[in-house]
Amino acid sequence: MKWFEIILVVLTLGSGLVVLLDKLYLRKRRAEKASLLDSEEPAVVDYSRAFFPVLAVVLILRSFVAEPYKIPSSSMMPNLLIGDFILVNKFSYGFRLPITNTKIIPVSEPKRGDVVVFKPPHAPDQNWIKRVIGLPGDRIGFHGDTLSINGVPMVYEDRGEYVGKGRGAEMTGASLLSEQLPGRSHTILELLGRADPRGQGDWVVPEGQYFVMGDNRDNSEDSRFWQQTHFLPEENLRGKAFLIWLNCEGWFCKGSFEPSRIGTGIQ
């Protein structure tokens, strides 16, 4: 994804520079040296003038408005499935420059429960998606199958046994639970009584960083398991996930396809 961003920026700036040079200098020079019958502009100028507006619009939309993202794993089930194509709001947490992701205009900060796309500190060339659980200063604990925030265990409501579809069928039989985060609730999957001991512990979230977890609690490589640091730096945020615009698996949607998920907001 980073290479696509770099290529898009280079092509946009390059074509824009060609158009500008042609307008300020090259066109006049051609007119002075060529006759009226031989004033055809070079192909590079023609292509640059045609593609620059399109490239510029795509770059602006993708960098500052919304970016598409495909869910590659089951870590956010049951709320996001493998094959979901989502949109990420790029200005929810501030306007950032493309490539460097440097924030230039602050807007707001992530709230507990937000589903965010980010670059993990140990894999900065990748984009991951998780839910914000811990805010700066929070004390996060995860013991057994229970999450606690600032010493308060979360309340869970059992919604029965989960039945997966397509590539998510492996989670069939897991417990579907409603987890009551402070101020909001969302559904999670748990294989009750089978918690990985490596993901057990207590953490205090530093300033300017966040603690993130997947909704599929027994199948998510999240803050609990990161070795170098258990926390997500604010500068690694890409945006807030807000909409499913397609659900499709395989080439030409030959795999599972759930049209009912299209247009669904992400809670």
Side-chain angles (χ1 to χ4, degrees):
M1 294 297 288
K2 186 174 183 179
W3 281 112
F4 175 80
E5 199 168 17
I6 292 173
I7 292 171
L8 179 60
V9 170
V10 170
L11 288 177
T12 304
L13 293 179
S15 60
L17 181 61
V18 170
V19 172
L20 181 62
L21 287 175
D22 184 67
K23 182 176 182 180
L24 298 178
Y25 177 68
L26 299 178
R27 185 186 306 173
K28 184 178 180 180
R29 187 178 178 184
R30 286 198 309 274
E32 292 174 350
K33 291 186 175 182
S35 67
L36 292 176
L37 297 177
D38 189 25
S39 60
E40 188 174 315
E41 63 183 21
V44 66
V45 175
D46 187 31
Y47 281 116
S48 295
R49 182 174 290 111
F51 286 107
F52 172 68
V54 177
L55 292 170
V57 169
V58 172
L59 178 62
I60 291 172
L61 290 176
R62 189 179 184 277
S63 300
F64 303 111
V65 181
E67 180 178 4
Y69 180 78
K70 182 180 178 181
I71 302 300
S73 72
S74 60
S75 69
M76 287 298 293
M77 290 174 62
N79 299 297
L80 292 174
L81 307 180
I82 299 173
D84 278 348
F85 289 78
I86 66 172
L87 287 179
V88 177
N89 187 328
K90 296 301 294 288
F91 58 85
S92 289
Y93 308 130
F95 289 89
R96 299 174 185 268
L97 294 175
I99 302 177
T100 64
N101 204 43
T102 302
K103 184 188 290 188
I104 53 176
I105 303 176
V107 175
S108 64
E109 302 298 330
K111 298 179 177 60
R112 197 189 320 279
D114 284 358
V115 176
V116 297
V117 170
F118 59 91
K119 294 188 175 296
H122 54 285
D125 291 332
Q126 301 178 21
N127 286 327
W128 288 18
I129 185 166
K130 306 291 179 189
R131 189 179 299 274
V132 174
I133 298 297
L135 304 178
D138 281 345
R139 290 180 290 111
I140 303 298
F142 194 79
H143 297 278
D145 301 304
T146 301
L147 169 71
S148 63
I149 301 177
N150 296 322
V152 180
M154 299 298 98
V155 176
Y156 296 88
E157 177 186 346
D158 191 346
R159 292 193 171 184
E161 186 177 285
Y162 181 74
V163 178
K165 298 179 180 179
R167 292 169 61 189
E170 63 183 25
M171 294 308 300
T172 296
S175 295
L176 180 64
L177 306 173
S178 175
E179 182 176 71
Q180 307 296 319
L181 290 179
R184 64 192 300 177
S185 65
H186 65 105
T187 52
I188 65 170
L189 292 181
E190 284 271 22
L191 297 170
L192 297 177
R194 291 188 245 172
D196 189 335
R198 296 174 301 167
Q200 308 285 301
D202 297 278
W203 306 270
V204 177
V205 186
E207 282 298 317
Q209 302 195 52
Y210 299 90
F211 194 91
V212 296
M213 296 176 66
D215 293 342
N216 190 352
R217 292 291 163 79
D218 295 289
N219 194 10
S220 173
E221 185 183 348
D222 52 42
S223 286
R224 296 170 294 169
F225 300 96
W226 298 350
Q227 296 301 314
Q228 296 177 347
T229 173
H230 290 283
F231 309 106
L232 171 66
E234 189 276 339
E235 59 266 25
N236 288 38
L237 288 167
R238 298 285 291 174
K240 178 182 178 181
F242 71 97
L243 181 72
I244 299 170
W245 61 274
L246 179 65
N247 173 272
C248 187
E249 285 188 43
W251 290 101
F252 305 108
C253 294
K254 288 184 178 180
S256 65
F257 174 59
E258 293 190 47
S260 62
R261 295 183 63 77
I262 298 174
T264 303
I266 299 172
Q267 301 297 320

